[in-house]
Amino acid sequence: MKTSNKWMKSMVVTTALSFGLMSGGTFAQAAGMDKEKGENVKAEQAVHSKLEHEREKETHVKPEAPEQSKAEENQHQAEKQQEEPKRQAEEKANSAKPNVKPNTEKKAEKPQKAENKRVNSQASEHASETAVQHANVNSAILSSAPTEETPEQPEVPGEESEVVTESNEAEAAADYAYGSDSASTANPEGQDFYIGKLGYGSKVQFDTTTGGGIFFNSDRAEEATYLYGYWFLSGMQIAPDGISPIEWGENQAALALETYEAMKSVYGTKVRPVIFIDVEPAYTGMNSYDYANNQLIYSAFIDYLEKYGEGVKPGTYSSPWSWEVSMGEYTPNTPGAYWVAYYPMEVPTDLTTDNSEWLEFPGTDERAEIWQYFGGENDYNVAWMLP
């Protein structure tokens, strides 16, 4: 009986095992959590899963009916024949079109040109750089035109013509010179030139031993690339007794020329061949509203320099108000060497000839070559052309 039971149990187990394999069952789960045989069980499970997947695939694929497949093939062939002329026409049309690549890239916008204006002159941080630039560009400083035209750039075929303006401001700045005069501190915009006082009336105020004077700053003169002298023209109120206005003008011119030569002996070739005549009312200057005498003194000074100056020419300094009070409607006669004083309410930010405050010299239609735009304790100047 026991033998029969063992045989029956063996048959049941064998039958159950065979049935599980044939039906694709996962023997790993049926065998229990045997840790020692875990890897073998996982491999066997993978094999059975693959076999089961192949059987299901074969079961679900339906064979096509021969007649249906043939009909669909004939229909597809017909459609293909109908589409062929259309496809050929499209290819022909496309081949005729030029191969132009669409320009989808947007040009990078060019940064706006900085305004051709400067920050407050006394706060400028690039003064020394500007001075060096101007000092090395003699032709720009001493040119006879306010601006230098930039040659037109040739257009490149296939590219848009674009006006280059980024460097215009820098180029315009190079056409201007900056400086100071009298007892002033250095101009924050640069110290390209300096104009010192030589004297007035019969009084010399330049000292060759120190290279300076009460209104002649030797430090500014040393720093500057170009150097000028000016003479404070005196009227008849301080003239020697019995002297005529013409003689008084000639005497002052002779003393100014002598002092100029003394200045040149100290500073050499940086001295420019111009003596500016400072025309303004003052006790040591011109006598207010004494038009007749003042005009004779002024014209005699000019005539003397033109006759005896040996290349040293006269220039004129004044302001609209000073000229009117001293000279009336008289027309000055120092073309190409005018230095005008005009002070706006604030230090101008635009120090170019585009600024309407850079005036024509009084009594002329000539834009002053030098503009004294700030005055008082410090006198700052800008020039579009140095005489």
Side-chain angles (χ1 to χ4, degrees), residues 2 17 29 40 44 49 67 96 118 160 197 201 208 216 229 245 306 338 343 370 378:
K2 290 182 178 179
L17 178 60
Q29 295 176 355
N40 294 331
E44 191 174 354
S49 297
E67 295 181 359
R118 299 178 177 273
E160 294 182 3
K197 185 178 180 181
T208 55
F216 196 111
E306 290 179 344
Y338 288 119
Y343 311 144
I370 303 176
N378 294 314

Side-chain angles (χ1 to χ4, degrees), residues 8-9 11 14 50 58 67 81-82 130 143 166 179 183 200 219 222 228 244 275 284 289 331 337 372 383:
M8 289 295 292
K9 288 181 179 179
M11 290 294 292
T14 303
K50 184 175 181 180
E58 292 176 358
E67 295 181 359
Q81 291 177 357
Q82 292 177 357
T130 306
S143 66
E166 289 180 348
Y200 68 93
D219 290 337
E222 289 285 356
Y228 297 87
S244 71
I275 298 175
T284 57
Y289 304 106
T331 300
Q372 186 183 73

Side-chain angles (χ1 to χ4, degrees), residues 333-353:
N333 188 25
T334 59
Y338 288 119
W339 173 21
V340 69
Y342 185 76
Y343 311 144
M345 294 298 294
E346 298 178 355
V347 175
T349 56
D350 181 5
L351 297 177
T352 72
T353 52

Side-chain angles (χ1 to χ4, degrees), residues 6-28:
K6 289 182 180 180
W7 180 83
M8 289 295 292
K9 288 181 179 179
S10 298
M11 290 294 292
V12 170
V13 172
T14 303
T15 304
L17 178 60
S18 300
F19 179 77
L21 291 173
M22 292 176 65
S23 62
T26 56
F27 178 74

